Amino acid sequence: MEYPLATHHATLGAVLRPEGDGSVPAHYGRLVAEYTALVNHAGIVDLSARGRFAVGGRDRTTFINGWVSQHVKPLVPGTGVTALFLTPQGRVIADVTLDCLPDEFWLTTEPAAAAIVHKKLSPLVRAGDFRLTDLRATHALLGLVGPTAPALIESLTGTQLSTWRTSLTVEKVGGGTESLPVFAHEWLCIGNAGVLVVQRPRYGQPAFDLFVLHEAAVEVWTYLTGAGATPVGWDALEVCRIEHGTGRFGQDFDDTTLAPEAGLGQAISYTKGCYVGQETVAKIHWRGHDQTARRLTPLRIEGGDGEASALPGKGTPILADGKEVGQLTSVVRHPVTQEVLALGYLRSAVLAQPTALVADGRPVHIREGAAA
């Protein structure tokens, strides 16, 4: 089924590319302007290819808490967290955001993880009072990203973001308390449409996820662009992601990856008690300070700065003295600087004692300052 927002992208001249089981706007013909909007102003991105589910029923908290790596029981309406679904061996099945509404949790995932999350949660419907609804059938998901995004939300909705909750005090297993960072959200009006606005920083920038009924999505998009937001495709968002050093499920990590290898510690609680995969990630954390044999690392690749130059692909070996010490996972040419930026796994021994690295015959450098 084609939704109104998809038709609207065509009128804006969007160039589409595959993503998940559908397609997304790759760009609108102005990649430099789109990237600039994300880092200097505000860009609006159609994130509707991401998976999103509503989980209800009296058993929702107990069941979800036993599956995911982050605190669930202490969440109150208006708050949310990032969490992981793990295998018993601590490998990543999916990364999700989990928002607590009065009678439901809303989960969002990368497109590549949507079917996996649905498969994991579906059997719980038969195990107790647990309901699972696919929100992709009813709601579009928009992203508003950039330094001026908070001001846009405040001006269009009249809300004061400074009053939104940013943390919860939670009890630790074994005694004591700790502060849990949370995402705040609120139902607001943009134009005549009700929108669940979630304050969700993305790739080092202020950002919001906006859940809106499909039939109102074009109206909300138009209000935001009329207020100064620039339509932005997934290509520019990927530049920001790789530049910031943030991995993505299905691209940089998957069910062969230990959570600490991908730098996903912010999605893990080491004090909440039992969940699937908890024993493995706890051992890595407490015995080795999250040290693993390899780490996802922000990189820069020399050469090939011209637009016509081919970029090395995912899986390209990274060599040191002719021996493989890692692999590339994400590679992009920066639209402004023309630098080739990348993410890839490097052996921890190499990170401890950096040496000359090469991929596809080109020198590779570890980037400083990006989030690993």
Side-chain angles (χ1 to χ4, degrees):
M1 178 177 179
E2 189 170 86
Y3 296 105
L5 193 56
T7 303
H8 186 62
H9 292 315
T11 69
L12 298 176
V15 175
L16 304 181
R17 66 171 171 82
E19 187 68 45
D21 57 4
S23 60
V24 299
H27 59 82
Y28 297 87
R30 303 167 298 153
L31 185 56
V32 171
E34 294 171 36
Y35 168 82
T36 301
L38 292 174
V39 298
N40 291 332
H41 307 291
I44 180 170
V45 189
D46 185 359
L47 299 176
S48 299
R50 289 174 61 83
R52 47 202 179 278
F53 304 95
V55 176
R58 289 192 304 271
D59 295 326
R60 65 188 184 278
T61 300
T62 301
F63 284 1
I64 294 295
N65 189 68
W67 261 112
V68 303
S69 62
Q70 189 53 275
H71 286 283
V72 176
K73 291 181 178 180
L75 295 180
V76 296
T79 65
V81 291
T82 298
L84 305 174
F85 283 75
L86 302 173
T87 69
Q89 295 76 33
R91 304 186 186 278
V92 183
I93 298 172
D95 62 330
V96 302
T97 54
L98 183 68
D99 298 309
C100 181
L101 280 67
D103 299 309
E104 294 179 318
F105 292 113
W106 283 18
L107 280 72
T108 59
T109 76
E110 287 290 346
I116 299 169
V117 170
H118 188 271
K119 183 178 180 179
K120 289 295 177 184
L121 295 182
S122 292
L124 300 179
V125 173
R126 301 187 296 273
D129 187 356
F130 186 87
R131 300 188 304 274
L132 179 65
T133 304
D134 193 336
L135 293 172
R136 289 175 293 185
T138 55
H139 288 72
L141 177 58
L142 308 181
L144 185 67
V145 184
T148 65
L152 278 178
I153 292 295
E154 290 187 334
S155 66
L156 289 174
T157 66
T159 192
Q160 293 294 317
L161 295 173
S162 60
T163 67
W164 285 20
R165 188 192 297 264
T166 58
S167 65
L168 291 172
T169 299
V170 301
E171 295 183 359
K172 299 189 291 186
V173 172
T177 62
E178 63 182 346
S179 180
L180 173 68
V182 295
F183 302 123
H185 65 258
E186 190 173 326
W187 282 103
L188 301 171
C189 285
I190 297 179
N192 296 314
V195 182
L196 182 66
V197 179
V198 186
Q199 194 170 31
R200 191 117 61 207
R202 184 173 269 117
Y203 313 146
Q205 295 291 343
F208 300 84
D209 282 358
L210 312 177
F211 295 83
V212 56
L213 290 170
H214 283 298
E215 53 266 33
V218 174
E219 176 189 350
V220 171
W221 182 283
T222 302
Y223 264 93
L224 290 167
T225 55
T230 298
V232 170
W234 283 51
D235 287 357
L237 199 63
E238 278 289 274
V239 174
C240 290
R241 179 184 74 80
I242 296 168
E243 185 175 38
H244 187 249
T246 302
R248 183 179 174 211
F249 184 86
Q251 181 68 32
D252 304 285
F253 58 92
D254 54 26
D255 62 4
T256 67
T257 312
L258 291 168
E261 292 178 332
L264 298 172
Q266 77 282 356
I268 299 172
S269 169
Y270 298 100
T271 60
K272 66 165 275 193
C274 294
Y275 56 87
V276 176
Q278 184 262 349
E279 183 176 357
T280 299
V281 296
K283 284 180 179 178
I284 294 172
H285 178 72
W286 295 115
R287 294 182 182 179
H289 305 288
D290 286 342
Q291 289 301 308
T292 52
R294 61 174 190 163
R295 295 283 294 189
L296 187 65
T297 306
L299 305 167
R300 179 175 61 84
I301 303 174
E302 283 189 27
D305 293 348
E307 291 187 13
S309 303
L311 300 178
K314 177 180 178 177
T316 299
I318 303 172
L319 307 178
D321 297 324
K323 297 180 180 179
E324 184 172 337
V325 294
Q327 288 186 335
L328 299 177
T329 56
S330 289
V331 184
V332 69
R333 180 176 289 105
H334 197 287
V336 176
T337 67
Q338 295 299 305
E339 286 184 309
V340 179
L341 306 179
L343 296 176
Y345 286 95
L346 286 175
R347 292 179 185 172
S348 296
V350 173
L351 293 171
Q353 294 184 319
T355 186
L357 302 172
V358 175
D360 196 32
R362 307 173 187 180
V364 175
H365 305 277
I366 298 171
R367 282 190 283 137
E368 301 294 335

